[in-house]
Amino acid sequence: MRLRHPDGSTIHLAYCTNVHPAEDLPGIHRQLSGIAARVRRLLGVERLGLGLSLSQHAAADLLTRPGELAGLRERLTSLGMKEQ
């Protein structure tokens, strides 16, 4: 989300998932569907920039299970957190 500061500069607003960390992929999906989606709705924006914080365990799962990575991409798109 882009905002205009009173001095005329552009400010990019994003949400980072490290605020409510999840240790595994099911937790990440719950986190995205829960608080991250709620933040996007409350801001009233079509898309929300997202800092996706991944635990070592979740990152390893995404590297070794390509279907999980594709599923995460689809989830981000469907929730308005990834460009289509």
Side-chain angles (χ1 to χ4, degrees):
M1 175 177 189
R2 284 179 255 182
L3 303 171
R4 183 69 56 196
H5 190 274
D7 70 7
S9 63
T10 301
I11 300 169
H12 296 271
L13 180 66
Y15 175 79
C16 189
T17 61
N18 68 346
V19 176
H20 301 98
E23 292 299 316
D24 57 15
L25 294 176
I28 290 168
H29 284 281
R30 285 191 301 275
Q31 172 191 69
L32 295 173
S33 297
I35 190 70
R38 184 167 185 246
V39 167
R40 186 187 63 76
R41 282 192 307 272
L42 288 171
L43 289 172
V45 294
E46 185 177 328
R47 273 191 314 247
L48 177 66
L50 183 73
L52 186 59
S53 180
L54 299 173
S55 68
Q56 183 178 358
H57 175 75
D61 276 352
L62 291 173
L63 286 173
T64 58
R65 299 166 56 196
E68 292 292 338
L69 182 56
L72 181 58
R73 284 184 179 135
E74 289 172 14
R75 177 65 131 216
L76 289 167
T77 298
S78 72
L79 293 171
M81 295 174 205
K82 181 175 182 281
E83 287 190 46
Q84 298 176 331

